Amino acid sequence: MFVKQIKTCKGRVFIEIVEGFRNELGKPGHRVVRKLGYLDELDASHGGNGLSWAKEEANRLGKELLPEKEITLTSGRTMGPSISTKKNIGYLSLKPIYKTLDLSSLCSALQAKHPKANFKFDDVLQFLIYSKIVDADSKLSSFTRKGQYIDSFPFSEEEMYRSLETIGESWEQIKDYAYSKTKETYGVNLSLTHYDGCNFYFEIDKEDELRKKGPSKEGRVEPIVGIGLLSDADMLPIDLKIYPGNESEKPHFTEVIDEMRSKHKITGRTIYVADRGLNTGNNIYSAMKHGDGYIYGQTIQSEKARKWALLDKGYKVTLDKDGTIVYKEKSWIDEEAYVNYIGEDNKSKSHKTVQKQIVFYSKDYADKQKAERAKLISKARAFIGSPKGYTRSKIGDAATFVKFASFDKETGEYKEGNDEPILDIEAINKQAELDGYFMVVSSETKMSDKDILDAYSAQKGEERSFRVSKTYLKIRPVYVSRESRIKCHILISYLALLFLRIMEQRVLKKVMPIEEIIDSIREYEAASIAPNVYFFFSYNHYVDLLASRSGSSARLETQSLGAIKKMFKGY
């Protein structure tokens, strides 16, 4: 509610208390709640402070009138295909983050490049981010459900798709601006940086500049696009790399870090954390060259590491109730560890270093490896029984367990020889010895084993970010084909993940996991039962946590629009 001043033809000012509302079509309107009289008369009766008294009266009525208001529901009211009284309210919890990151200013810069546009890029960008979190569907499907939001988002379908082009072309600028504002307002922790990569495919046959056929993590043969995601110690996204699908993710690890250092003038020491897929000599050497550190996962490969891992001495053991070993770990410092890398002259080089190595055994991991090996053995037996028709790529890792098998280097087809292929029992037994064992290697020799393993375990949060992006935010499948629109699609998923991580790590201080936050945002819905009055279906713990920060209540069955918005102003 607010005070409205109406100047009459005789020069006097009449004062009314007015309430704003939206009708069943979502269009805004005003109605008079109370007429207070002429301003000069109010001044006379309130010591010259008539206007101040009127504003206080409007605030009082805003707080008191709603609970006393009798709401009448009309049973004969009809609904059309574009009208819905059900609204998602959860997305409003993300608006303060959008405002804090000041993305509207960046959209204003984009708007200046398109002066003839009759819509606001700011409206489109907000809508795309919120809809990615609320329903994570195709752009078209999300557009058809635009009415589920309290905000009107006044742009057409055509204007939305035109915006994808502009946003995609500016994706680097938007991403870097979001990082800068995140660092400035929420802070980033670069004592550790986590990196992981994924790729997603397109159901097309022909490649283009971005979509290339390459090593898909799902074994797909269609063209793919690769993504590298860099996060800080708290898993806040800080950089993103998009690269053609025929390129390996391994070199992009150091590329992203080098680019980030340059762009954001980062000079402090960081420790790079990544899984075994990114544990290469070049990545390790690059970290040491910059004076940084590393924590990497690593399979046990060398004979020295094998003997040490299989030696029972030195392990801290965890037993289950039956006395079976379910977990054990130990560590040592290798004073003569060597890193092999490719130098700038493209020649192999070796660098001696000191490295802490932690080996651990997990019964669950052992059971998983046994099951996976059983499948490979079955595949190897099938090949041995009928080798013709098999190629090296078709037999895959099962070739490890086959002796005397020869394949043509050019065609990959099996070549018959004097010795028929047989099962390699020795290779099977040797691999089985290491079931359940894994290593983590680090340059941080003075860091405790627990801190190193905690940092490595946090890396699983990076993989979890991709699972969130794939499962919840549905970064795939992709329903757009132009390169600029593909980049826009990836950027929106990145920004949505950033918003959610800020909420999880900075606003809620890790009291609620990201998956639960997403579910809570989607489930917090209300029905419009009168202009500006909403009825809520259920209690929502996530909203309750946020509302408590502003001194509001999220437990009322009915709330005014003003009260709803106030719930999300406490952070």
Side-chain angles (χ1 to χ4, degrees), residues 268-287:
R269 186 173 185 271
T270 62
I271 301 172
Y272 310 152
V273 186
D275 210 348
R276 59 186 173 183
L278 293 165
N279 182 355
T280 67
N282 276 54
N283 286 343
I284 290 177
Y285 183 72
S286 176

Side-chain angles (χ1 to χ4, degrees), residues 295-306:
I295 297 173
Y296 287 124
Q298 181 172 294
T299 54
I300 298 171
Q301 298 172 337
S302 71
E303 197 59 33
K304 180 171 69 171
R306 167 185 283 271

Side-chain angles (χ1 to χ4, degrees), residues 10 57 141 151 218 332 361 384 451 476 569:
K10 294 183 180 181
E57 189 69 3
S141 296
D151 294 283
E218 295 183 337
W332 77 306
Y361 165 89
I384 291 169
D451 287 345
R476 60 191 187 193
K569 290 185 177 179

Side-chain angles (χ1 to χ4, degrees), residues 132-377:
K132 175 58 69 175
I133 295 170
V134 171
D135 51 36
D137 215 329
S138 69
K139 307 294 182 295
L140 179 59
S141 296
S142 295
F143 181 84
T144 60
R145 291 194 292 273
K146 207 166 50 155
Q148 71 178 309
Y149 303 106
I150 289 175
D151 294 283
S152 59
F153 298 118
F155 53 82
S156 68
E157 178 187 337
E158 180 187 357
E159 289 168 339
M160 178 185 71
Y161 279 106
R162 281 168 52 197
S163 298
L164 300 184
E165 299 279 345
T166 301
I167 294 171
E169 290 167 358
S170 305
W171 79 276
E172 283 270 16
Q173 179 187 0
I174 297 171
K175 168 183 64 72
D176 292 344
Y177 185 84
Y179 168 78
S180 175
K181 285 294 181 180
T182 300
K183 181 181 178 182
E184 176 186 320
T185 56
Y186 294 105
V188 295
N189 182 359
L190 298 179
S191 61
L192 292 173
T193 53
H194 302 266
Y195 180 92
D196 198 10
C198 80
N199 49 50
F200 56 93
Y201 63 90
F202 296 79
E203 293 185 352
I204 57 173
D205 295 322
K206 189 178 179 181
E207 297 177 303
D208 55 30
E209 290 300 314
L210 183 62
R211 296 173 291 180
K212 299 283 189 181
K213 292 184 179 181
S216 168
K217 293 192 174 185
E218 295 183 337
R220 308 287 301 209
V221 297
E222 296 90 346
I224 57 178
V225 168
I227 304 175
L229 178 65
L230 191 70
S231 301
D232 78 347
D234 298 322
M235 308 314 301
L236 262 67
I238 53 179
D239 216 335
L240 178 72
K241 183 81 173 181
I242 303 173
Y243 53 90
N246 63 340
E247 296 180 12
S248 169
E249 65 182 6
K250 294 178 181 180
H252 291 289
F253 180 31
T254 52
E255 283 180 14
V256 169
I257 294 173
D258 288 345
E259 287 176 14
M260 188 185 71
R261 283 179 174 280
S262 176
K263 282 188 300 187
H264 308 299
K265 299 179 181 179
I266 296 172
T267 57
R269 186 173 185 271
T270 62
I271 301 172
Y272 310 152
V273 186
D275 210 348
R276 59 186 173 183
L278 293 165
N279 182 355
T280 67
N282 276 54
N283 286 343
I284 290 177
Y285 183 72
S286 176
M288 292 189 297
K289 185 173 64 175
H290 285 110
D292 293 330
Y294 61 86
I295 297 173
Y296 287 124
Q298 181 172 294
T299 54
I300 298 171
Q301 298 172 337
S302 71
E303 197 59 33
K304 180 171 69 171
R306 167 185 283 271
K307 289 179 179 179
W308 173 65
L310 295 177
L311 187 66
D312 289 336
K313 184 179 178 181
Y315 275 108
K316 298 175 184 177
V317 177
T318 301
L319 306 176
D320 64 10
K321 61 181 181 179
D322 299 320
T324 303
I325 296 175
V326 293
Y327 182 82
K328 60 181 182 179
E329 70 175 61
K330 66 177 178 179
S331 68
W332 77 306
I333 295 177
D334 188 351
E335 302 281 353
E336 295 185 345
Y338 286 89
V339 177
N340 298 315
Y341 66 99
I342 305 298
E344 295 180 359
D345 56 1
N346 288 324
K347 293 182 179 180
S348 296
K349 299 180 182 294
S350 185
H351 179 78
K352 184 179 177 181
T353 186
V354 178
Q355 186 181 79
K356 175 174 270 196
Q357 299 177 355
I358 305 173
V359 65
F360 57 87
Y361 165 89
S362 164
K363 184 178 180 301
D364 289 343
Y365 185 41
D367 292 340
K368 179 184 177 183
Q369 287 183 301
K370 287 176 185 176
E372 291 174 349
R373 186 171 55 257
K375 293 179 182 178
L376 292 178
I377 292 173

